Amino acid sequence: MNFTRWSARLPGTQRRTAAAQAAIKARAQSTGTSGSGTDEVGKGGDADDADDTANDAGNGDAGVGNDSGSDSGDGNGSDSGEQAAGTACPATADPAVADPTVPDQATAPGRSTQSASGRSTHARHEDARKRPAGPEGLEGPEDTETPTVPAARNRPPAETDPETHPGAAFEDVPETDPETAPEADPQYAQHASASGTEPERAAWKRRRAIDALPVRALLGQVPALVAVVHGPEHRIAFVNEAYSHVFGPRPTGAAAREALPELVELGLLPLMDQVRRSGRPRTVKSRRVSPQQGAPGNRRRPGYYTFTCTPITTSGDSGVLIFAADVTDQVQAVERLRASERRQREAAVTLQRSLLPQELEQPDDLRVAATYQPGGTDAAVGGDWYDVITLGAGRTALVIGDVMGRGVRAAAVMGQLRTAVRAYARLDLPPHEVLQLLDGLAAEIDASQIATCVYAVHDPNEGCLRYASAGHVPILVRDADGTVHRASEHTGPPLGTGGWLHTSGSLPLPEGSTAVLYTDGLIERRDADIDEGVAALEGAFAGATGSPDIICDRLLRALGISEDHDDDVALLVFQHPVRTGPDAELFHNAALDLLGGTEAAPRARAFASGVLASWRFPTELRDLGVLAASELVANSLQHGTPPMRLLLRRTDRRLIIEVTDGDEHLPRRCRAEPADEAGRGISIIATIASAWGSRRTQGGGKSVWCEFALPGR
């Protein structure tokens, strides 16, 4: 607020102004006399006092409370003071308001006047002369008069620069209505006293201007789409420029069903009815809006908007405010992200399937089927795998595993583990030793990845399934009568954890039995315990009959596995079928126990020749079989220990000859020199047979075998 304007209205200021006018009148009268030195101004002063007082009054000294005029009782000083005030500040001069009880006196520089009570006013003039003469606060010379506050109102604009005089910016503000002026706001007064700079004053005015905007003008400047409807028919009351730019102009007063076809197409009218009745806002997200042909801002591509309907209630009617935010960029970004994730998933699925067996090996004594079902589109591909490995001598290894994790990394780890399993299986080791080797390898591949695995070996000669498990779900075996057995023992921690010695177990698998290996995706559910899933699988497996392919499909359907399942599923089913009729004639076993001695080799040759002849093998194959049996028995007699046994086995595709003894040292193929009398037996076997191998047996000892492919197989 302008201090000078406010102070000029005070009664004390007006009295002092009247006294200054009286001093000016006294000076004018004294100019017409002869200057005899008589006291014409008053009893308490002379003409020089009046002159000095008039000069002070002309410079605005009366504005700061300096008493002007004389204290005489003749009244001349009062008249001259009125004339001076009328010259200096005519807007506020009013002789009638002068108070005769106030001792107003006019003093000249360097002089002192005495009032009727004897009090001196010289000190007050001295203080006024010692006021700072400039912005630096320095005192001016003694004969220089200091401007008073009323005189400061007439300073030139150069002296009121807001940057050099922070408070000057508020002095020249035109007076407005006291109720609407910024000075009437207490926050504005506090803000102005703290800073008072022009940018902050402009910012304050802008904020006050926004507050003063009407609702219609404010909604018209919103960049989002805004429409206001009222009444049960949702008649248009307002549509902002952004809405018209997208959908075209809309007539005010028309019903929404005819005038807002875009809302009808989006199905928002029932929602607007619900909002109007309930009084609660509702939102629909990411609705697709087709391009509008008549709109000025027509797009070539459709846009996406999120619509929010908010109820509006007035004293006479109720309506709905429709607020639509453009989320096209967000929707497109989400679509690009989903496309990228879809490509990554397809790459992971392709890698996963390429690492799985493209075609399962079909053993002579088992019927095998397997399936892999990747997770749904929203689930990343895991590391589930399965495999069937023919070990030789009629034995078959069956493997299933699951790498924890998702994506390409899990699939890559799975591929490395599957390759390692096939390599270790060629060593023909017991199941627990294979898992022991895999455990160390898994830790080397990736210490942060762990995997579960089941490794099982089927031996048709023994009619059992030997297995070892590393944290995997249990094997299920169903007998011919439908009884289901769960292999819940001999289970160690997952692969990659280290520090654990795995053990092997055994399950009977006679003719007519069926077994299933699976991953946890088949039975695990978020809302149920895993044991409940295993129990559900047992119930479904007990009633699932048919070939392994049919059993796989029935188990997947029974447990609700579909394309939208949230986890990968690997399933491996194998059967030991019962053979009757012509098929039974193709499978035969014959065994001979050998006690050792010089007669063991001739007995073995005679036994092999008779059995192969009864099986109606061709002469060439029969001669090769007799030679192989003789060499294996001779090798066992020389390097092994009793008990020894010769086993001949025939399947529909191969002839298997196997010799066991009590020594655990496995034979190796070596190169014999021409002068050597021994060391050629294994070389001869490797030359004439389709495959050969050796392994340690369960009760101690070893087994050496070879096999021949049957003609036409």
Side-chain angles (χ1 to χ4, degrees):
M1 180 177 287
N2 197 320
F3 175 74
T4 57
R5 296 179 180 177
W6 172 76
S7 61
R9 300 173 183 174
L10 298 178
T13 304
Q14 295 178 0
R15 289 195 297 269
R16 283 189 287 272
T17 302
Q21 293 174 352
I24 293 173
K25 284 184 179 182
R27 180 173 176 272
Q29 292 178 1
S30 63
T31 56
T33 61
S34 60
S36 59
T38 59
D39 188 6
E40 295 180 359
V41 179
K43 295 182 180 180
D46 52 14
D48 293 335
D49 295 335
D51 293 340
D52 296 337
T53 305
N55 291 333
D56 293 339
N59 291 328
D61 237 3
V64 295
N66 292 333
D67 296 333
S68 303
S70 67
D71 201 28
S72 60
D74 56 5
N76 294 330
S78 175
D79 295 335
S80 63
E82 292 175 2
Q83 183 179 355
T87 304
C89 188
T92 58
D94 189 1
V97 299
D99 189 355
T101 62
V102 179
D104 297 301
Q105 298 181 1
T107 60
R111 296 186 180 183
S112 175
T113 57
Q114 192 81 13
S115 63
S117 60
R119 184 170 59 87
S120 174
T121 61
H122 179 70
R124 288 184 294 174
H125 289 282
E126 290 296 332
D127 294 338
R129 292 189 182 96
K130 291 181 180 180
R131 293 176 180 171
E136 301 296 333
L138 301 177
E139 295 183 2
E142 193 171 317
D143 58 347
T144 302
E145 296 181 358
T146 303
T148 60
V149 174
R153 296 179 59 188
N154 299 321
R155 285 182 296 178
E159 299 180 5
T160 60
D161 187 5
E163 296 183 0
T164 58
H165 301 278
F170 301 94
E171 294 178 4
D172 299 329
V173 179
E175 294 187 7
T176 58
D177 187 4
E179 296 182 359
T180 61
E183 291 81 0
D185 193 341
Q187 297 182 1
Y188 174 83
Q190 181 180 1
H191 179 78
S193 63
S195 58
T197 61
E198 187 64 25
E200 294 177 352
R201 178 187 180 93
W204 178 271
K205 288 185 176 181
R206 285 194 298 270
R207 288 194 295 270
R208 293 297 300 271
I210 292 175
D211 295 340
L213 281 177
V215 175
R216 181 180 293 271
L218 191 62
L219 293 179
Q221 299 179 13
V222 173
L225 280 60
V226 177
V228 179
V229 298
H230 67 93
E233 297 181 355
H234 303 296
R235 297 189 176 276
I236 301 175
F238 172 77
V239 173
N240 70 344
E241 182 179 354
Y243 194 100
S244 301
H245 183 74
V246 175
F247 296 111
R250 295 294 183 259
T252 304
R257 185 171 298 277
E258 292 78 15
L260 300 176
E262 60 276 0
L263 301 185
V264 178
E265 180 182 354
L266 295 172
L268 292 181
L269 290 184
L271 182 67
M272 294 164 56
D273 293 335
Q274 183 180 0
V275 169
R276 184 175 178 272
R277 290 192 303 267
S278 64
R280 296 181 179 179
R282 297 291 299 274
T283 300
V284 291
K285 297 182 179 180
S286 303
R287 289 296 179 92
R288 184 179 183 273
V289 176
S290 302
Q292 303 295 318
Q293 299 296 332
N298 183 27
R299 314 183 177 199
R300 295 182 179 179
R301 297 182 179 180
Y304 293 86
Y305 290 84
T306 293
F307 290 85
T308 300
C309 299
T310 304
I312 301 175
T313 303
T314 62
S315 58
D317 197 358
S318 61
V320 178
L321 184 144
I322 305 165
F323 186 92
D326 189 352
V327 294
T328 304
D329 294 340
Q330 294 88 325
V331 172
Q332 292 177 351
V334 171
E335 290 179 353
R336 289 193 297 268
L337 179 60
R338 289 179 177 175
S340 176
E341 293 177 348
R342 185 165 53 252
R343 289 192 297 268
Q344 293 181 5
R345 182 180 181 277
E346 291 175 355
V349 171
T350 302
L351 176 62
Q352 176 86 354
R353 292 191 179 278
S354 65
L355 294 175
L356 291 174
Q358 302 304 307
E359 184 178 355
L360 287 178
E361 298 182 17
Q362 293 295 329
D364 296 343
D365 296 276
L366 296 177
R367 295 175 182 173
V368 181
T371 182
Y372 171 73
Q373 178 71 47
T377 56
D378 295 333
V381 177
D384 297 11
W385 93 90
Y386 56 84
D387 206 350
V388 177
I389 307 169
T390 301
L391 300 179
R395 301 166 69 248
T396 306
L398 304 115
V399 190
I400 196 163
D402 185 4
V403 177
M404 303 303 172
R406 293 288 186 271
V408 177
R409 180 59 182 170
V413 173
M414 177 274 292
Q416 298 178 71
L417 291 179
R418 176 176 176 265
T419 303
V421 169
R422 296 191 68 88
Y424 295 147
R426 296 306 177 187
L427 300 176
D428 214 343
L429 299 173
H432 66 276
E433 293 187 17
V434 173
L435 292 187
Q436 207 70 47
L437 294 173
L438 284 177
D439 187 20
L441 179 64
E444 294 177 4
I445 293 175
D446 191 343
S448 63
Q449 292 276 7
I450 62 174
T452 62
C453 181
V454 168
Y455 183 85
V457 176
H458 174 250
D459 191 341
N461 296 325
E462 298 178 359
C464 68
L465 185 70
R466 294 186 56 80
Y467 72 94
S469 176
H472 204 77
V473 287
I475 304 174
L476 298 182
V477 177
R478 186 189 65 194
D479 295 336
D481 59 358
T483 304
V484 178
H485 305 280
R486 180 190 303 186
S488 57
E489 298 179 353
H490 303 283
T491 301
L495 303 177
T497 56
W500 183 267
L501 294 177
H502 294 271
T503 59
S504 297
S506 179
L507 282 173
L509 191 69
E511 291 184 357
S513 300
T514 305
V516 56
L517 303 178
Y518 53 96
T519 57
D520 57 358
L522 181 65
I523 59 172
E524 192 174 19
R525 301 294 182 269
R526 300 183 183 275
D527 56 349
D529 187 77
I530 192 170
D531 290 335
E532 298 180 8
V534 175
L537 177 60
E538 288 180 350
F541 186 40
T545 58
S547 66
D549 292 333
I550 296 176
I551 293 176
C552 286
D553 295 338
R554 289 181 176 179
L555 292 181
L556 291 177
R557 290 197 303 268
L559 294 177
I561 305 301
S562 62
E563 294 181 355
D564 298 331
H565 191 58
D566 59 355
D567 196 4
D568 292 12
V569 175
L571 186 62
L572 177 63
V573 177
F574 53 95
Q575 290 179 340
H576 189 187
V578 177
R579 292 178 174 89
T580 59
D583 290 342
E585 297 296 329
L586 300 177
F587 291 85
H588 295 285
N589 290 340
L592 174 64
D593 293 330
L594 300 174
L595 301 177
T598 57
E599 73 281 358
R603 287 183 58 197
R605 286 193 294 269
F607 177 78
S609 177
V611 170
L612 296 180
S614 66
W615 290 346
R616 301 178 182 179
F617 284 150
T619 304
E620 182 181 359
L621 181 59
R622 185 170 66 244
D623 293 340
L624 292 175
V626 171
L627 177 60
S630 176
E631 291 295 333
L632 291 177
V633 170
N635 183 79
S636 179
L637 290 173
Q638 183 176 358
H639 301 286
T641 60
M644 291 180 292
R645 190 181 188 194
L646 173 61
L647 176 64
L648 301 179
R649 177 174 174 78
R650 176 207 170 128
T651 68
D652 58 343
R653 290 182 289 180
R654 59 179 55 91
L655 168 65
I656 303 168
I657 301 173
E658 183 176 5
V659 176
T660 62
D661 61 51
D663 187 75
E664 293 184 354
H665 293 85
L666 301 179
R668 295 182 301 169
R669 182 180 181 182
C670 59
R671 183 183 297 272
E673 297 297 333
D676 294 340
E677 296 181 357
R680 296 179 178 86
I682 298 301
S683 297
I684 294 173
I685 296 297
T687 301
I688 64 175
S690 302
W692 78 278
S694 63
R695 73 178 189 279
R696 292 185 175 89
T697 56
Q698 180 179 358
K702 66 177 181 296
S703 171
V704 184
W705 57 268
C706 68
E707 61 184 30
F708 298 87
L710 298 182
R713 299 293 180 179

